[in-house]
Amino acid sequence: MAWFDIAAKKFGFPTIELFVKAGSDGESIGNCPFSQRLFMILWLKGVIFNVTTVDLKRKPADLQDLAPGTNPPFMTFNSEVLVDVNKIEEFLEERLVPPRYPKLAAKHPESSTAGIDVFAKFSAYIKNPRKEANDGLEKALLKSLKRLDEYLQSPLSEEIDANSTDDPAPSTRSFLDGPDLTLADCNLLPKLHIIKIVAKKYRGFEIPADMKGIWRYLNSAYQREEFINTCPAEREIEFAYLDVAKKIK
């Protein structure tokens, strides 16, 4: 019996194993925002779990039998195999509930949709090889980032003094929905981190310094172990986009 099985039984936790994409060395954590999303959720829930990295080039036969035709991330929960990221998130939020486990859903519905199109705009931008299309795609990415920045700089209802006659001050919150990480952050932060690294490496593009909301958001994430300890190394992110990022011709 594995150590995490023993620990889980001792403390009354479910037996959970998360399978994530391995890095270029076949062992370390690879670039996969969906893997990091689930990794962060489990860490935030405070449950004991095991993480196994899966080398896609040499996927072990037992894993092929466990989740045939499925690439990571996937998860086992008390021997039940779960393979859809969105469904896994819903499952964990429904099964790991207060008072033992924190609720991670955002309180404000807008927090769950903020930045919803940023990664798609980035993907179109980074995969484009045509010089004549580059400027338009970069502007579309900037527009999407600007909307996200505006949301992060707009105060949430609990940040506004209802008794004040002054205009509300810009938000100072750390994350999308307030001072704490939520499911919305687990989805967006890994993608935003990839954008920051890859766009600079392969396009010389940097998130503008005047987007203070986004930079506050990223820097807040870099102070949290739930993010930095589930994040692949920068070289892994750059390596993953070596062939994906098309050269402008």
Side-chain angles (χ1 to χ4, degrees):
M1 184 178 289
W3 70 267
F4 65 93
D5 290 319
I6 297 170
K9 289 184 183 300
K10 180 178 179 181
F11 293 105
F13 288 118
T15 302
I16 300 172
E17 186 161 12
L18 176 65
F19 297 86
V20 302
K21 178 184 174 184
S24 55
D25 63 0
E27 295 181 1
S28 60
I29 297 170
N31 174 71
C32 176
F34 308 106
S35 292
Q36 189 179 4
R37 174 182 173 184
L38 296 180
F39 202 164
M40 286 180 70
I41 290 170
L42 288 169
W43 197 302
L44 286 164
K45 283 290 185 182
V47 68
I48 292 175
F49 64 100
N50 189 53
V51 177
T52 297
T53 54
V54 180
D55 186 349
L56 298 182
K57 295 177 183 177
R58 297 184 294 274
K59 191 175 180 181
D62 57 340
L63 292 187
Q64 292 178 7
D65 294 336
L66 184 65
T70 303
N71 284 329
F74 54 90
M75 189 182 82
T76 58
F77 187 101
N78 289 340
S79 300
E80 180 181 355
V81 181
L82 304 167
V83 297
D84 181 274
V85 175
N86 290 328
K87 290 180 179 177
I88 292 173
E89 178 183 276
E90 292 174 9
F91 178 90
L92 291 173
E93 190 70 351
E94 290 172 1
R95 294 290 293 271
L96 303 178
V97 297
R100 185 163 196 181
Y101 308 103
K103 181 179 171 63
L104 297 179
K107 300 186 296 289
H108 303 274
E110 301 84 2
S111 297
S112 296
T113 57
I116 195 168
D117 64 343
V118 168
F119 201 64
K121 299 298 184 187
F122 156 74
S123 294
Y125 172 60
I126 206 70
K127 293 176 182 178
N128 167 60
R130 296 184 296 119
K131 186 176 181 180
E132 65 274 17
N134 187 66
D135 285 352
L137 292 169
E138 185 173 301
K139 286 177 181 176
L141 174 58
L142 278 167
K143 186 177 179 180
S144 181
L145 287 168
K146 183 64 177 174
R147 283 197 296 271
L148 173 60
D149 184 68
E150 287 171 351
Y151 182 72
L152 287 164
Q153 295 213 54
S154 299
L156 299 172
S157 56
E158 57 266 32
E159 294 181 284
I160 299 172
D161 183 356
N163 298 316
S164 175
T165 57
D166 298 330
D167 290 335
S171 177
T172 58
R173 68 187 188 276
S174 298
F175 302 109
L176 286 171
D177 205 54
D180 300 315
L181 287 162
T182 64
L183 296 177
D185 301 300
C186 295
N187 184 19
L188 182 59
L189 276 170
K191 296 174 182 176
L192 197 59
H193 180 63
I194 289 170
I195 293 171
K196 189 197 80 166
I197 291 171
V198 174
K200 182 178 181 180
K201 172 72 174 179
Y202 294 107
R203 288 289 184 273
F205 171 93
E206 295 191 59
I207 298 171
D210 62 359
M211 292 190 181
K212 295 179 181 179
I214 289 180
W215 281 108
R216 184 182 69 247
Y217 183 45
L218 282 170
N219 288 327
S220 295
Y222 298 151
Q223 303 303 312
R224 293 292 296 262
E225 64 176 13
E226 298 93 341
F227 183 80
I228 59 174
N229 289 337
T230 60
C231 191
E234 286 195 18
R235 65 180 181 276
E236 285 294 341
I237 297 173
E238 292 174 350
F239 180 77
Y241 277 85
L242 189 61
D243 296 322
V244 176
K246 304 299 182 184
K247 291 184 178 180
I248 300 295
K249 298 177 182 177

